[in-house]
């Protein structure tokens, strides 16, 4: 049973239904209210977006005026634009084969409205970063690479790219031409795999194996051809990682690549990109904070940085949060402050009550959104943008218990449930734009109130706060010239831009 919300913050007449259920059943009535135009924020107004963990406020849009009186509030947080931390690249989700399949089951009108709501800076939340697989992932429609016939001359994009991913990317790029795209492979072609680096025996399996050093140059060419193939379809690839989850042997499509192997491969990959005239960034690692408890892999990216030849080709490192603690990000930053950090994957599912917004909104905002940004990440990307109500399409050997950032009802390909991952990305991307800098703050510190402040490249300020307290928290925000007060509801996320 569904409730259709009024999107007062969008210039859209949404025809699909957004399900507002938490873990309990919804009211059976459906409310259809015409959307209202978005009032433009003026020099005297603050854009506000609020979501509570019970959905009483569901990405509720409002405006607040600046105060005309002197600021005497003891609850003041002052933004300090002169204290700059990392530049922000953006926030988004993974556009897997499964996500694209689900999107293409929607009517064109409904899909355009959903993608506009999600990716437009002017008419929606401005998601700005997408992760796609190089070949298959564990949420693809089949297991494949772009060169399954031996010989790198046989490289070619496959059905999943041509019929699913690229068409959806074209629709998104029409909405947000500045979208940034990161590519990651789950496995190399099987003919490039060996059982280990001692025996070097052929390893014809999608799961596990090592990249044969004899094919390092061919595999580097594979990346070049993949980037060029997408460019041929008008799609620019901004960054890549050499391997998704290189310490995970058990994924349905996977390849083990310890830090020494990745170091040596990057020495081939970097020059191959340069020789092709590509400026694509390379991010090392792309796996868990705890290095899957492998002692010899601890500080994986820093070990590669210590090799000057390999380090010159690496922009930084990417992390997931399926093991360990976000404090690892700060540790890596302190060891390599000149290198970038991005957060590239996290999932919700049956194992962590993924559809229970009452807990997930709070935890995911603290750990994934603000937690990674406040520990130097330039970008935050969650896993599947869209799965269906049966947690699919999925495959044997892959995750069959995952939810998407949104889930679409497979019975009508129309009704959408927004989960915590959609909310946390929306609350960041709506106010923090690519090119912004995270900036310093001073003032109010209250247990249960977590926040981060930013200065956008257009001169606007942004502030995103999590109130995990049982009571509302009154705050006054000041940028030194203007100030305003706002009461952030209990158990909520609030975003501001002015």
């Amino acid at each position: 049973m569904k409730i259709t919300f009024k999107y007062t913050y969008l210039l859209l007449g949404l025809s699909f239904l957004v399900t507002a259920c938490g873990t309990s059943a919804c009211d059976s009535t459906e409310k259809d209210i015409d959307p209202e135009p978005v009032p433009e924020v003026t020099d005297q107004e603050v854009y506000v977006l609020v979501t509570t963990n019970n959905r009483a406020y569901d990405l509720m849009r409002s405006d607040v005026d600046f105060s005309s009186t002197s600021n005497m509030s003891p609850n003041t947080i002052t933004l300090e634009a002169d204290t700059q931390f990392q530049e922000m690249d953006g926030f988004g989700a993974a556009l897997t084969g499964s996500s694209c399949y689900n999107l293409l089951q929607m009517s064109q009108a409904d899909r355009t409205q959903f993608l506009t709501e999600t990716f437009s800076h002017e008419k929606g939340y401005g998601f700005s970063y997408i992760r796609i697989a190089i070949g298959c992932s564990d949420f693809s429609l089949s297991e494949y690479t772009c060169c399954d016939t031996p010989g790198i001359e046989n490289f070619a994009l496959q059905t999943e790219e041509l019929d699913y991913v690229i068409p959806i990317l074209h629709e998104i790029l029409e909405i947000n031409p500045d979208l940034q795209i990161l590519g990651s492979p789950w496995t190399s072609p099987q003919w490039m795999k060996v059982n280990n680096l001692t025996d070097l025996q052929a390893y014809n399996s999608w799961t596990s194996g090592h990249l044969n050093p004899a094919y390092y140059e061919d595999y580097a060419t594979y990346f070049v051809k993949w980037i060029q193939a997408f460019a041929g379809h008008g799609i620019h690839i901004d960054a890549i990682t050499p391997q998704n989850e290189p310490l995970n042997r058990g994924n349905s499509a996977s390849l083990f690549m310890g830090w020494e192997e990745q170091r040596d491969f990057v020495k081939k990959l970097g020059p191959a990109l340069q020789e092709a005239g590509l400026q694509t960034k390379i991010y090392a690692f792309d796996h868990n904070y705890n290095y899957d408890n492998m002692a010899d892999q601890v500080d994986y990216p820093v070990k590669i940085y210590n090799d000057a030849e390999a380090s010159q080709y690496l922009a930084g490192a990417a992390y997931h949060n399926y093991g360990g603690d976000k404090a690892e990000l700060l540790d890596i930053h302190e060891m390599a402050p000149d290198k970038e950090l991005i957060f590239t994957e996290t999932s919700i599912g049956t194992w962590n009550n993924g559809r229970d917004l009452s807990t997930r909104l709070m935890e995911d905002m603290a750990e994934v959104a603000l937690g990674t940004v406040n520990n130097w990440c330039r970008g935050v990307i969650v896993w599947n943008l869209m799965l269906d109500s049966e947690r699919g399409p999925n495959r044997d050997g892959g995750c069959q218990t995952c939810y998407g950032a949104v889930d679409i009802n497979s019975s009508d390909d129309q009704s959408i449930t927004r989960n915590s991952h959609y909310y946390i990305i929306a609350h960041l991307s709506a106010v923090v734009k690519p090119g912004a800098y995270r900036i310093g703050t001073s003032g109010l510190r209250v247990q249960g109130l977590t926040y981060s402040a930013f200065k956008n490249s257009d001169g606007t300020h942004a502030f995103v706060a999590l109130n995990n307290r049982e009571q509302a928290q009154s705050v006054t925000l000041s940028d030194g010239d203007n100030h305003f007060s706002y009461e952030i509801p209990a158990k909520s996320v609030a975003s501001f831009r002015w």
Side-chain angles (χ1 to χ4, degrees):
M1 290 169 286
K2 307 174 285 289
I3 297 175
T4 304
F5 279 93
K6 180 176 73 173
Y7 289 164
T8 58
Y9 41 85
L10 296 176
L11 292 171
L12 297 173
L14 301 183
S15 62
F16 59 85
L17 300 175
V18 178
T19 303
C21 297
T23 54
S24 60
C26 290
D27 191 296
S28 62
T29 58
E30 292 184 359
K31 303 175 183 178
D32 294 295
I33 306 174
D34 292 334
E36 298 173 358
V38 180
E40 290 189 11
V41 176
T42 71
D43 291 341
Q44 297 301 316
E45 292 179 330
V46 181
Y47 168 106
V48 185
L49 200 63
V50 178
T51 300
T52 53
N53 74 340
N54 61 3
R55 288 189 173 95
Y57 297 104
D58 191 319
L59 291 168
M60 189 193 76
R61 165 82 165 85
S62 62
D63 295 310
V64 176
D65 292 331
F66 291 130
S67 174
S68 59
T69 63
S70 298
N71 179 20
M72 305 295 290
S73 171
N75 293 336
T76 297
I77 300 170
T78 301
L79 279 62
E80 299 176 342
D82 291 338
T83 302
Q84 288 191 344
F85 301 105
Q86 76 272 28
E87 184 178 0
M88 305 307 301
D89 290 332
F91 313 97
L95 201 62
T96 60
S98 295
S99 292
C100 293
Y101 174 87
N102 287 319
L103 285 163
L104 287 167
Q105 304 313 299
M106 302 175 75
S107 71
Q108 180 66 66
D110 286 350
R111 183 170 65 253
T112 298
Q113 289 171 348
F114 171 75
L115 293 178
T116 301
E117 173 193 19
T118 301
F119 291 97
S120 173
H121 289 294
E122 295 78 23
K123 300 178 182 179
Y125 304 115
F127 282 37
S128 53
Y129 216 149
I130 282 291
R131 185 175 182 230
I132 61 176
I134 301 175
C136 72
S137 74
D138 53 326
F139 273 92
S140 287
L141 305 179
S142 65
E143 291 160 326
Y144 74 96
T145 72
C146 295
C147 196
D148 287 330
T149 300
I152 195 61
E153 68 276 8
N154 295 308
F155 177 95
L157 297 180
Q158 300 298 303
T159 297
E160 186 156 308
E161 287 88 21
L162 296 173
D163 295 345
Y164 293 91
V165 177
I166 288 174
I168 292 297
L169 280 174
H170 281 155
E171 292 190 24
I172 295 172
L173 288 166
E174 283 291 318
I175 296 165
N176 184 350
D178 298 323
L179 183 77
Q180 294 200 64
I181 302 172
L182 168 78
S184 303
W186 267 241
T187 181
S188 68
Q190 292 185 41
W191 56 271
M192 294 186 183
K193 286 185 171 186
V194 291
N195 60 339
N196 59 58
L197 298 184
T198 301
D199 299 333
L200 298 176
Q201 297 299 306
Y203 191 82
N204 297 318
S205 172
W206 293 113
T207 300
S208 192
H210 294 252
L211 182 61
N212 188 340
Y215 290 118
Y216 280 4
E217 289 189 3
D218 277 353
Y219 197 38
T221 301
Y222 177 97
F223 279 81
V224 170
K225 286 178 174 290
W226 183 83
I227 295 166
Q228 291 174 333
F230 270 79
H233 287 272
I235 297 169
H236 175 72
I237 303 298
D238 295 275
I240 55 174
T241 65
Q243 175 59 38
N244 169 70
E245 298 189 351
L247 305 182
N248 179 6
R249 293 183 181 273
N251 212 339
S252 59
S254 54
L255 177 78
F256 187 90
M257 185 181 280
W259 72 266
E260 292 173 302
E261 296 170 80
Q262 189 160 118
R263 175 199 63 196
D264 294 343
F265 175 58
V266 165
K267 291 180 183 180
K268 300 296 185 182
L269 178 59
L273 296 178
Q274 289 187 353
E275 289 168 13
L278 298 172
Q279 302 299 313
T280 313
K281 289 182 178 182
I282 306 173
Y283 289 102
F285 192 47
D286 205 10
H287 205 174
N288 292 334
Y289 297 142
N290 68 348
Y291 309 97
D292 277 18
N293 298 313
M294 299 180 186
D296 62 334
Q297 301 298 325
V298 170
D299 298 335
Y300 185 118
V302 176
K303 286 180 164 70
I304 302 177
Y305 299 157
N306 289 335
D307 184 293
E309 183 182 352
S311 180
Q312 66 180 310
Y313 302 116
L314 293 174
Y319 277 86
H320 303 178
N321 73 339
Y322 302 119
D325 187 88
K326 63 184 180 298
E328 180 64 14
L329 296 167
L330 180 58
D331 183 52
I332 295 298
H333 170 75
E334 289 177 343
M335 286 190 283
D338 59 325
K339 296 294 189 182
E340 300 175 4
L341 287 168
I342 57 173
F343 183 84
T344 49
E345 189 181 319
T346 181
S347 286
I348 50 175
T350 58
W351 70 90
N352 63 2
N353 298 315
R355 284 186 178 150
D356 181 5
L357 197 69
S358 65
T359 57
R360 287 258 54 90
L361 181 64
M362 300 293 97
E363 183 172 333
D364 291 339
M365 199 70 202
E367 293 297 319
V368 176
L370 295 175
T372 61
V373 166
N374 286 339
N375 282 286
W376 291 92
C377 282
R378 300 166 61 98
V380 182
I381 306 171
V382 298
W383 194 209
N384 292 283
L385 174 62
M386 177 185 284
L387 292 180
D388 67 23
S389 50
E390 305 303 315
R391 302 187 294 274
N394 57 49
R395 297 195 325 278
D396 291 342
C399 180
Q400 297 182 317
T401 57
C402 290
Y403 300 125
V406 303
D407 295 326
I408 189 164
N409 191 325
S410 55
S411 68
D412 64 10
D413 296 317
Q414 184 182 38
S415 308
I416 287 175
T417 301
R418 289 188 296 225
N419 296 319
S420 61
H421 282 177
Y422 191 88
Y423 289 105
I424 67 172
I425 296 299
H427 269 280
L428 285 167
S429 62
V431 298
V432 183
K433 301 304 176 180
Y437 277 88
R438 182 168 69 94
I439 61 174
T441 59
S442 61
L444 179 68
R445 299 287 176 182
V446 177
Q447 186 173 4
L449 184 67
T450 306
Y451 54 79
S452 191
F454 307 85
K455 186 71 173 288
N456 286 309
S457 59
D458 65 359
T460 59
H461 297 85
F463 185 86
V464 182
L466 163 67
N467 180 15
N468 199 13
R469 311 178 78 202
E470 297 292 342
Q471 64 272 2
Q473 175 63 54
S474 177
V475 298
T476 297
L477 298 177
S478 172
D479 61 22
D481 296 319
N482 296 294
H483 68 276
F484 62 93
S485 296
Y486 193 86
E487 188 170 81
I488 303 174
K491 298 292 182 179
S492 74
V493 181
S495 299
F496 306 86
R497 187 178 75 239
W498 69 95

